[in-house]
């Protein structure tokens, strides 16, 4: 078995820079000697245990967390924060756990054993593991108010410029929803077994061939239902023909007529008519919530497939269904397709949002809708947003 990967050392003379906010907060609290603050940081983030892939594949429901010798003479159980994960390796994967999981781990039998978070790095934290100490970990976890998802996160050493960063930014909506760095093509997305479960349950993907098929379908914009873009194309054709946007009635009647002309049955025609009404209602809500300007509209929803293609590439990499070059190629291609279909980040985002809510929201304006608004506002307003430092064209 190949030894576990480790983060590459810094070049001589290069100062250490925290990869994410998590490591920055751990480091600053460590300088102050504020262990409670460090624990509260850990309580609001995912932690990772590195294991051989073959071991997890053989027993996916079991987490083996082995103790390692430490220079102090004690043993430690190691955890890593996301920013300190080593480079992707085909034979090594990572379980995603929480501080609560670590506190409740049943293997704490040696009272002298330590918990080592980011061992050997400037963000290192060594913690005693007595029952009293672990009870305090649980208290910190219970009191945590640092949301794991719905926030814009970036890796300092991740892609920030160029075609790869552009493509990754097209997948930022889902990255924000999951609370993972938008600009990472690396060791994990959430966790190895989490990825396998998500791909199997939500996508029917259980192997590389299935992942490749679904990725191709997304990149061809064939995953989402075709009716929304059919209706939107009719509106754009009417606008081009008459030099102005059609009235809602003209759009609805023309779309229904086109559907009849290509052989659609009455049920399908009725669906197209109601779809036009739904699109108009969603666009009105988008304008009210800032996803569209006052006179804005959505021209196509292909952004929803392209944005998910970016994330499917990242999930496939985390699940070890592909290697980094293949994932990066798909992400760059998704970015190029997005650039050809839209004229701005804001227009792309509105197209993504409409594609998502038409498929899953059912005009409930629930979680699927709210996540779009949260992501759009974060990308519009956050100073670290890729929208502010990556030009659309």
């Amino acid at each position: 078995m190949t030894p576990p990967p480790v983060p590459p050392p810094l070049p001589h003379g290069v100062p250490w820079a925290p990869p994410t906010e998590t490591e920055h907060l751990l480091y600053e609290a460590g300088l102050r000697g504020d262990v409670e603050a460090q624990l509260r940081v850990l309580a609001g983030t995912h932690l990772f245990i590195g294991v051989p892939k073959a071991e997890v594949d053989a027993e996916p429901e079991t987490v083996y967390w082995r103790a390692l010798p430490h220079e102090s003479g004690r043993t430690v159980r190691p955890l890593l924060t996301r920013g300190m994960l080593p480079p992707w390796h085909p034979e090594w994967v990572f379980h995603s756990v929480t501080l609560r999981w670590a506190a409740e781990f049943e293997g704490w039998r040696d009272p002298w054993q330590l918990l080592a978070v980011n061992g050997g790095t400037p963000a290192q934290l060594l913690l005693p593991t007595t029952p009293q100490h672990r009870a305090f970990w649980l208290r910190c976890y219970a009191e945590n108010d640092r949301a794991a998802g719905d926030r814009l996160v970036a890796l300092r050493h991740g892609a920030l410029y160029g075609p790869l960063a552009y493509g990754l930014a097209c997948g930022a909506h889902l990255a924000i929803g999951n609370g993972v760095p938008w600009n990472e093509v690396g060791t994990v997305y959430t966790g190895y077994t989490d990825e396998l479960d998500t791909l199997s349950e939500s996508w029917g993907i259980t192997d590389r061939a299935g992942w490749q098929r679904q990725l191709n379908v997304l990149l061809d914009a064939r995953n989402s239902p075709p009716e929304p873009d059919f209706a939107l194309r009719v509106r754009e054709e009417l606008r081009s023909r008459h030099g102005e946007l059609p009235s809602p009635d003209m759009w609805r009647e023309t779309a229904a007529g086109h559907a009849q002309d290509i052989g659609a049955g009455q049920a399908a025609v009725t669906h197209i008519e109601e779809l036009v009404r739904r699109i108009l209602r969603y666009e009105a809500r988008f304008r009210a919530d800032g996803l569209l300007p006052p006179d804005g509209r959505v021209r196509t929803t292909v952004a929803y497939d392209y944005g998910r293609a970016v994330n499917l590439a990242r999930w496939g990499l985390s699940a070890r269904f592909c290697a980094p070059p293949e994932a990066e190629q798909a992400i760059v291609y998704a970015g190029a397709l997005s650039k050809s279909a839209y004229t701005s980040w804001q227009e792309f985002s509105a197209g993504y949002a409409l594609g998502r809510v038409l498929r899953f929201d059912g005009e409930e304006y629930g979680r699927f809708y709210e996540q779009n608004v949260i992501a759009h506002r974060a990308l519009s307003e956050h100073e670290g947003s890729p929208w502010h430092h990556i030009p659309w064209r």
Side-chain angles (χ1 to χ4, degrees):
M1 170 61 66
T2 305
V6 297
L10 287 170
H12 181 68
V14 175
W16 183 77
T20 74
E21 180 190 26
T22 295
E23 291 79 32
H24 173 75
L25 293 173
L26 287 174
Y27 179 68
E28 291 292 322
L31 292 178
R32 301 192 306 269
D34 191 344
V35 175
E36 180 176 341
Q38 290 178 307
L39 281 167
R40 295 193 182 281
V41 172
L42 296 180
T45 192
H46 291 288
L47 304 165
F48 298 93
I49 299 172
V51 285
K53 178 178 178 295
E55 181 177 281
V56 184
D57 290 343
E59 298 182 76
E61 301 301 320
T62 302
V63 178
Y64 289 103
W65 190 18
R66 293 178 174 83
L68 302 176
H70 187 259
E71 61 186 14
S72 65
R74 301 187 185 189
T75 58
V76 299
R77 294 190 187 272
L79 291 175
L80 294 172
T81 55
R82 177 180 289 274
M84 303 311 296
L85 287 169
W88 184 93
H89 192 287
E91 296 179 10
W92 282 85
V93 296
F94 288 81
H95 290 294
S96 175
V97 300
T98 64
L99 185 64
R100 175 181 176 179
W101 183 94
E104 295 176 343
F105 178 67
E106 296 180 355
W108 298 116
R109 298 184 180 91
D110 178 359
W112 294 100
Q113 195 168 77
L114 300 172
L115 172 65
V117 181
N118 298 333
T121 76
Q124 174 178 271
L125 177 58
L126 295 174
L127 295 171
T129 62
T130 67
Q132 293 82 2
H133 286 96
R134 287 183 281 118
F136 187 63
W137 303 358
L138 288 173
R139 177 182 155 192
C140 290
Y141 184 84
E143 295 174 352
N144 167 59
D145 60 359
R146 190 167 177 243
D150 290 336
R151 58 195 181 103
L152 181 65
V153 183
L155 279 181
R156 186 186 297 267
H157 56 259
L160 294 171
Y161 302 96
L164 179 59
Y166 190 105
L168 286 166
C170 293
H173 290 73
L174 275 176
I176 290 171
N178 290 306
V180 302
W182 69 266
N183 63 335
E184 181 181 30
V185 188
T187 297
V188 302
Y189 188 91
T190 52
Y192 177 65
T193 56
D194 301 314
E195 244 67 82
L196 293 176
D197 290 344
T198 296
L199 289 170
S200 174
E201 294 169 8
S202 300
W203 294 83
I205 296 172
T206 58
D207 55 21
R208 172 184 163 76
W211 169 80
Q212 186 67 70
R213 280 194 301 272
Q214 285 287 1
L215 180 63
N216 290 340
V217 168
L218 287 169
L219 291 172
D220 289 340
R222 291 185 290 111
N223 180 277
S224 294
E227 292 84 359
D229 268 27
F230 170 83
L232 293 170
R233 280 195 301 273
V234 170
R235 180 168 64 178
E236 293 307 307
E237 290 168 1
L238 288 170
R239 180 183 180 278
S240 177
R241 185 185 311 160
H242 298 291
E244 61 182 7
L245 284 175
S247 69
D249 288 342
M250 177 184 286
W251 179 21
R252 185 179 66 256
E253 293 166 3
T254 305
H258 282 6
Q260 288 178 321
D261 291 343
I262 60 176
Q266 186 55 48
V269 171
T270 301
H271 173 66
I272 290 295
E273 291 179 320
E274 179 53 31
L275 181 61
V276 168
R277 296 186 182 98
R278 289 178 65 202
I279 291 172
L280 288 167
R281 290 192 291 267
Y282 269 122
E283 288 181 327
R285 182 64 177 267
F286 282 10
R287 296 184 196 101
D289 289 335
L291 275 71
L292 281 172
D295 59 348
R297 69 187 188 281
V298 175
R299 295 184 300 109
T300 173
T301 62
V302 293
Y304 187 50
D305 277 7
Y306 297 158
R308 287 183 297 155
V310 171
N311 287 275
L312 191 69
R314 294 181 63 181
W315 298 332
L317 183 64
S318 182
R320 301 313 190 256
F321 289 155
C322 67
E326 190 173 5
E328 292 176 4
Q329 182 180 29
I331 291 167
V332 169
Y333 185 45
L337 291 170
S338 300
K339 182 182 290 188
S340 69
Y342 297 92
T343 61
S344 69
W345 288 114
Q346 290 77 9
E347 189 188 26
F348 171 88
S349 181
Y352 177 96
L354 184 62
R356 192 178 196 213
V357 295
L358 286 175
R359 188 162 184 181
F360 294 114
D361 181 63
E363 290 190 274
E364 294 179 359
Y365 300 94
R367 184 64 177 153
F368 286 105
Y369 183 85
E370 291 169 358
Q371 284 184 323
N372 290 326
V373 176
I374 290 169
H376 187 94
R377 289 176 178 168
L379 290 163
S380 298
E381 299 168 6
H382 196 291
E383 63 180 2
S385 167
W387 290 11
H388 297 321
H389 63 258
I390 301 177
W392 181 258
R393 295 197 185 279

